[in-house]
Amino acid sequence: ILASVDVTPACKVGWQGRSRFWEEEDRIYGGISWTKEIITQIWYPSYGFNSPTGVLTGAYNDGGNAKELGAMSREERLETALMSGEKLHPGFRDKVFADNGVTIAWAKMPYQAGGWAHETSFTQPEVFEEMVHGESVARNVFFAGDWFSYWPGWQEGSLDSAHLATDRIARIAAGRG
């Protein structure tokens, strides 16, 4: 059943800033800049204000943009993020440690298939129902994680499904399952 879940592609790029240029030059103290570029957004840290340096998310996207960015090599993703960052912050390439960027395309990760389940409870209700309440594994295997919740892609979803799984285990162990 898990193989039939529609999974959302997602990509991220991270940079260490040589300084906190976003604060010093643009007065950005945490938050997100949305772009029309393939990177979709740049996230600024909401901690360590006025510290000598910091880490920012130089791209975070999903859907079509993530599919396109994820199809690129690691080097191409980093270069694309540098060029897009340049449009928001002139001199961006020199303001981050450009040779040490990190990137992930979740669709390329073994056993991952993407960033998160794509709103399965709404877009694939029959699949969601089987995942959460299916009797084929209900008495032997208990799944938990954001995919098995109404909040895919969020920690709350993982915690909520973990509570449901442990409640089912407790009911079965007590002979009420």
Side-chain angles (χ1 to χ4, degrees):
I1 192 80
L2 294 178
S4 61
V5 174
D6 291 334
V7 181
T8 301
C11 289
K12 248 184 189 176
V13 173
W15 303 108
Q16 172 75 38
R18 293 180 183 275
S19 68
R20 291 179 77 95
F21 62 88
W22 55 92
E23 294 172 355
E24 297 165 2
E25 298 170 12
D26 302 314
R27 296 185 190 191
I28 297 174
Y29 292 92
I32 300 171
S33 287
W34 291 86
T35 77
K36 293 182 180 181
E37 300 293 313
I38 190 173
I39 63 168
T40 305
Q41 12 179 321
I42 293 178
W43 288 22
Y44 308 95
S46 298
Y47 59 87
F49 299 133
N50 298 311
S51 297
T53 188
V55 175
L56 62 129
T57 302
Y60 191 17
N61 62 17
D62 64 0
N65 281 348
K67 198 170 190 176
E68 186 178 339
L69 193 64
M72 296 178 188
S73 69
R74 174 189 177 278
E75 292 75 19
E76 290 169 328
R77 284 197 302 272
L78 293 173
E79 183 59 31
T80 298
L82 285 169
M83 290 187 307
S84 295
E86 184 73 28
K87 293 180 179 180
L88 227 87
H89 301 285
F92 186 82
R93 180 182 305 272
D94 296 325
K95 295 175 182 181
V96 299
F97 290 97
D99 55 341
N100 286 329
V102 295
T103 180
I104 185 169
W106 278 279
K108 289 186 172 183
M109 296 299 296
Y111 312 107
Q112 183 62 29
W116 51 86
H118 181 70
E119 302 291 335
T120 310
S121 63
F122 301 109
T123 61
Q124 298 177 285
E126 68 293 338
V127 171
F128 184 77
E129 187 63 26
E130 181 64 26
M131 281 174 34
V132 176
H133 301 291
E135 288 304 317
S136 61
V137 295
R139 296 190 65 77
N140 300 315
V141 177
F142 299 87
F143 291 108
D146 62 302
W147 285 32
F148 302 91
S149 76
Y150 291 100
W151 300 286
W154 296 95
Q155 292 175 2
E156 294 90 337
S158 293
L159 291 173
D160 185 56
S161 74
H163 286 196
L164 290 173
T166 56
D167 288 349
R168 288 177 80 186
I169 292 168
R171 282 195 309 274
I172 289 170
R176 297 179 310 215

